[in-house]
Each structure stands twice: as structure tokens, then as C-alpha cells.
Amino acid sequence: MKRNLLSVASLLFGTLFLFMGNGLQGILLPVRGNLEGYATTTLGLLGTSWAAGFVIGCLVAPKLVRRVGHVRAFSGFIAIIAIIALVSGIIIHPVWWVLLRAVTGFATAGTSMIIESWLNERATNESRGAIFSLYISITLFGVVAGQMMIPLEDVRTPVLFMICGIFYCIAMLPTTLSTAASPQPLKAVKLDLPALYRNSPVSCLGILLVGIANGAYGTLGAVFGAGAGLSDTSIAIMMSSTIFAGAVMQLPAGRLSDRIDRRYVLAAMSAIAALAGLLLAILHPDSPYFIIGLVVLYGAVANTLYPIAVAHANDFASAEDFVKVSGGLLLLYGIGTIIGPTIGGPVMSMINPHALFLVTAIAHVLITAYAIIRSRMRAAVPVGDRDAFTTIPTATSQTLTPESMSLADRGAAKTPETGDPALKYN
């Protein structure tokens, strides 16, 4: 185990800096754009274009990697991301930012798929779970560390954009200098929506709605914070605390869903997220402590929905279909993150910054209602036949790819004795 972890240490080191750059740039653009007076609709399009580029990258990047090889492709993708980060600090223009953000999303998908395929190649059956958990932890820490750098420098200067470029260049070094053999070619991903819906209607629609809510908050949360009167430091704390709260809540919510019908857990967590969102939207609190407290409550429950929905879908799938089902749901989540900021920006412009949580509340109410309705229409999988829950923090889901699903290895939890739930409960 120790040998396997040491073999990927340099790659994980590069991953840390990649996600530090992602975290910093992801919060820097909306904060700077808000100071420049850009419309909230325009700031929402930053998230829309990034998510669209990321989804396209998941579909197209494997072909590019097969053509030029992992190392060249990785270096090229990282170079593109670094150049765009630097150019964004020089050219302060909303149209350019939106266009360049789509390219960044595309290149980020490529880098993430290459890293995850490399980790998957190095992992053994014994170390796969540990490597996946370590990878998730590093991505979370990287995103939070990047976000917390916002208060360290005036966002009106190009310094933080330069720091993003430095982080990305450091991230390039481990794979560029590595003498290890490249992993197997990336697998192309196909999104079969009818098959996904037949497998689990709740997971299919639920993850789309989760993507809408999380995409809206992930892109426009910092804009909401600024509109609510929070300082840059408070905005960074709010965004980072949401990630930590979601990570902490993952395990207890997941274990609860292992014991009772996962749809009830989805409904309950979505209802709490909807309530927190409605309180923010209706009360318009002005106390930073109250705002951050409600947002942390929102993040704690909202960030449990994605992995529970994935686990529910895999309860009804055979073990060999785990990667296909989970990868398809991940792309469906990506589609939701395209829709969320597109809706959230105009709603905030027409009403007020707090209206961001009207968008998230509507999405979560729909999840609650649909999960309850479906629980009356289809029996739950018996506890002994369920797929084991694995934490997949939603904060990183926008930068996880279908390739990462191979690392989770959750399908192995089903034994021949339990049979194929898809055959018994469809």
C-alpha cells in the first residue's frame, strides 16, 4: 500500500496545485467582475461557459489524448489554462472572460481525465479506495486553499491572476518530468439518457436538479456574498466553509442512506437545503454570522445529495455497469451546472442577490417531491443488496470526470451471492 501511494505522490502533488489554481480562479473572476460592475447575468455566464467546456472536454478530450499522448496532452492543457489565467488579468472584458472560461473548462476536463487515468493505472485492488479518497481530499484542500487566498491581495490588481498561472505551471512539472510509462488510452464516454432514466428516475432527474442548484451557487455564491455586504475575507470563508461542511456531512448522511430508503434521505436533505435557501431569500439577513451560518447549513445538506443519488442509481445497476452509470450521471450533473448559472444570473439581476437561493430552493423542492413520489412507485433495494456508499464531495464533482469513476471501485462491493439488483427490481 505504501509503495503504491509513494508511486503517485508526485502526481498528487501536481494535482494539489492544479486545484489551488482552480479554486482561486473560480472565485477571483466573479469577485473581480462584480467590482467592475458586470451584470449578474454576465457573471452567471462565466459558470455556464466553464461547465459547457468541461462537459465537451469529457466527450472530446479522450480522442485528443489518444492522438498526442498523455504527457504532451497534459502539458498542452495546463499551458492553455495558465495562459488564460494570465490573459484574464490583462484583458478585463466580460465577453473575453466568458469565451476564455469555456476553453478553461475544456482544458480542465482534459487534465483531470489524464490525472485520474494515471492514478487508476497505478492503483491496485487493495490501494484503489485509499488512492481515490486521498485524491478527493487533495482536490478539496486545493480548492479551499485557493479560495482562501482572495483576501491576501487586492483583487483589482493582476497579482492573483499571476499566482493562478504560477500554480498551474507547478502542477505541470510532476507529469512532464516523470519517466514513468503513460497509462492506457482514455475511454470515450457515451451519455445514454433513456438508459440512465430507466435505471433510476430519481437519480437521473435528481442529479440534474442538483447540478442546477450547485452550479448556480458555485458560480454566483461569491456575487451573492458581495451583494449581501460581505467582505472579501467573509466571502472566502463562506465559500470554503460550505465545502468543509459538505465534506463533514457526507459520511453520516451516506451511512443513514445505507440503512433506510435512500430516496427518503434525498427528500429530507433536499427539504433542509430548500428551507435554508428560502430563509436566505426571504429574510435578507445582514449579519455576516447569520448569513454564513445559513449558507453553511445549506452546503452541509446540499453537498450530500450527489453521492447519495449516485449510490441509489448503483443499487439498481449491475457491478460491471457502475462506471457507465456513474460516468453518465456525472455528465448529467455537468449539464445541470450549465443550466444553473444561466438561470441564476438573470433571476438575481431582476430581483436581488438573495434571489440566488430562490433558484436553489425550487430545485431542492422538486427533488424532495419527486423522491417521495417515486418511493411510492418502486420498492427500495433490500439493505443487504445495496451498493456501498462512497463519499464524492460535490465541491469537486465539477472537476471529476467519468475516468475518476474507475477509481471509486464501488461495484466490487456487490458479490455474486447478492445477484444483480437490476434484474430483480427493474
Side-chain angles (χ1 to χ4, degrees), residues 208-240:
L208 177 66
L209 291 168
V210 170
I212 291 173
N214 290 357
Y217 174 75
T219 300
L220 297 168
V223 180
F224 155 76
L230 299 181
S231 65
D232 289 349
T233 300
S234 295
I235 291 172
I237 292 172
M238 179 187 73
M239 299 298 289
S240 299

Side-chain angles (χ1 to χ4, degrees), residues 48-59:
T48 299
S49 62
W50 190 94
F54 188 85
V55 171
I56 294 172
C58 288
L59 300 173

Side-chain angles (χ1 to χ4, degrees), residues 224 270-285 294-295 297-298 301 354-362 364:
F224 155 76
S270 296
I272 297 173
L275 176 61
L278 288 173
L279 289 175
L280 286 163
I282 295 172
L283 297 180
H284 293 192
L294 278 178
V295 173
L297 172 63
Y298 166 83
V301 290
H354 295 79
L356 167 65
F357 289 98
L358 283 178
V359 176
T360 65
I362 291 172
H364 290 129

Side-chain angles (χ1 to χ4, degrees), residues 80 83 98 177 219 227 230 285 417:
I80 290 171
I83 291 169
V98 170
L177 300 177
T219 300
L230 299 181
E417 288 75 19

Side-chain angles (χ1 to χ4, degrees), residues 291-376:
I291 292 173
I292 294 175
L294 278 178
V295 173
V296 168
L297 172 63
Y298 166 83
V301 290
N303 285 329
T304 65
L305 301 178
Y306 178 85
I308 293 175
V310 172
H312 178 67
N314 282 293
D315 287 341
F316 292 93
S318 58
E320 60 269 19
D321 288 335
F322 165 69
V323 174
K324 181 171 64 175
V325 170
S326 300
L329 291 174
L330 186 59
L331 289 179
L332 194 61
Y333 176 85
I335 294 172
T337 62
I338 296 172
I339 299 172
T342 307
I343 298 173
V347 169
M348 293 173 71
S349 294
M350 289 186 293
I351 305 177
N352 55 54
H354 295 79
L356 167 65
F357 289 98
L358 283 178
V359 176
T360 65
I362 291 172
H364 290 129
V365 166
L366 290 175
I367 295 172
T368 299
Y370 193 61
I372 293 174
I373 291 171
R374 287 296 307 179
S375 69
R376 302 291 188 268

Side-chain angles (χ1 to χ4, degrees), residues 3 17 21 62 85 96 107 109 135 159 231-232 274 281 355 359 364 396 401 413 425:
R3 188 183 304 112
F17 282 92
W96 278 106
Y135 173 64
V159 173
S231 65
D232 289 349
V359 176
H364 290 129
T396 65
T401 72
Y425 303 105

